[in-house]
Amino acid sequence: MSINLTNKQYAFANPVDLGIWQALQEVKDTLDSEGIGATIPTSPINLYVSTTGNDSNNGRTLGTAFRTVKRAVIESEKVVNGYFRTIINVDTGDYSNEEYLCFSISRNISRDGFHPLLIKSISNTATDVILPSIAVFGGTLDLASVTVKDAAGTIFGLVAANSGGVDAKNLITLNTQLPLYAYNHGWLLIENLHVKDSTIPEVSAVCWADRLSSVGIYGTMQNTNSTGPRYRADGLSIVYTNGQGENYLPGTTAGTVSNGGVYA
């Protein structure tokens, strides 16, 4: 018994082994039909989004970019693999009129040592790219130099829950009542935060950790036209600033802790 896989002939004495290789051939055929190919990637997979793009494109270059971030996210679910991360490169523009982005990523790390999915601005300038609200329910998402705006009435900016997490660098939150929220074992790690044009009610906070969750935040903090409590830590959760003090976070009123919560 034999089978051909990528133009190579293999012989099998065991029908079980043959069945395994036939299954692999079916996987390869599926990948080929999607234009992905069955070879193991040797570098990160890059996808592109632009306001001049088209969701019928393949998204593999800026010239063939997708139009929406959601379309790139769907494509990333096809190509995210166990070896190298997928990077969604977003060109300058406002994408906040899209539906909020919801992730449930199957892994926390890829074999090249990075988190499996990164969304970043091509210009590396956070004000250049405005994304809709983002929620991560499982796995880990990286963000770099983007703005997250609540344009659809979701209230929140960035949420992590159900053991999901977000590692964000150079983040702007815009027009949100709850810029950062981690709950139910979720976690956020934020380096450099700018909270803009947000009226945060007293029952909320710029940074809220609840139900055995954590938010670690460090770097430069900025506040533009935003009011409300700086933090909340509830339900055995922690907001960790490495001892920067109660006025470190953006906001205009004091934070609170309750039910075993800690601000440190």
Side-chain angles (χ1 to χ4, degrees), residues 207 214-218 238-244 248-249 262-264:
C207 177
S214 66
V215 178
I217 189 164
Y218 62 103
I238 183 169
V239 175
Y240 182 72
T241 67
N242 196 28
Q244 291 297 320
Y248 173 62
L249 297 176
V262 175
Y263 178 85

Side-chain angles (χ1 to χ4, degrees), residues 25-264:
Q25 182 69 58
E26 292 178 3
V27 171
K28 177 185 179 300
D29 292 343
T30 300
L31 292 171
D32 286 343
S33 70
E34 297 287 349
I36 296 171
T39 57
I40 295 174
T42 58
S43 63
I45 298 168
N46 283 277
L47 301 174
Y48 293 84
V49 179
S50 172
T51 55
T52 60
N54 190 309
D55 280 350
S56 64
N57 289 339
N58 65 17
R60 298 307 180 93
T61 68
L62 188 56
T64 59
F66 297 126
R67 172 60 183 86
T68 64
V69 179
K70 183 177 181 179
R71 177 66 182 85
V73 170
I74 293 171
E75 187 69 15
S76 76
E77 292 171 350
K78 297 180 182 179
V79 301
V80 164
N81 60 84
Y83 292 88
F84 291 91
R85 70 187 341 192
T86 298
I87 302 173
I88 298 177
N89 301 274
V90 186
D91 201 12
T92 298
D94 186 347
Y95 305 85
S96 64
N97 61 342
E98 299 182 27
E99 296 178 6
Y100 80 92
L101 302 175
C102 184
F103 296 87
S104 181
I105 302 167
S106 61
R107 295 177 319 282
N108 287 310
I109 196 164
S110 55
R111 293 190 184 180
D112 60 349
F114 293 98
H115 296 145
L117 181 60
L118 165 66
I119 301 177
K120 63 182 289 290
S121 64
I122 292 176
S123 68
N124 293 317
T125 302
T127 53
D128 286 350
V129 170
I130 304 176
L131 302 178
S133 302
I134 295 175
V136 177
F137 300 98
T140 301
L141 170 69
D142 284 355
L143 296 174
S145 300
V146 296
T147 295
V148 176
K149 178 182 179 181
D150 175 20
T154 57
I155 297 177
F156 65 86
L158 187 60
V159 173
N162 301 343
S163 299
V166 180
D167 187 340
K169 294 178 173 59
N170 304 323
L171 176 70
I172 298 174
T173 63
L174 177 63
N175 189 40
T176 65
Q177 296 183 46
L178 179 53
L180 304 175
Y181 186 37
Y183 74 98
N184 194 27
H185 301 272
W187 61 270
L188 299 171
L189 183 62
I190 311 295
E191 178 183 0
N192 303 332
L193 173 67
H194 187 177
V195 178
K196 297 178 66 176
D197 301 334
S198 298
T199 301
I200 300 162
E202 289 301 313
V203 296
S204 182
V206 168
C207 177
W208 188 355
D210 192 15
R211 303 179 191 176
L212 297 169
S213 298
S214 66
V215 178
I217 189 164
Y218 62 103
T220 302
M221 301 293 113
Q222 298 183 66
N223 180 2
T224 301
N225 299 325
S226 298
T227 60
R230 294 184 174 90
Y231 61 86
R232 285 189 63 174
D234 301 320
L236 299 175
S237 298
I238 183 169
V239 175
Y240 182 72
T241 67
N242 196 28
Q244 291 297 320
E246 293 191 353
N247 296 327
Y248 173 62
L249 297 176
T252 54
T253 59
T256 60
V257 298
S258 63
N259 300 318
V262 175
Y263 178 85

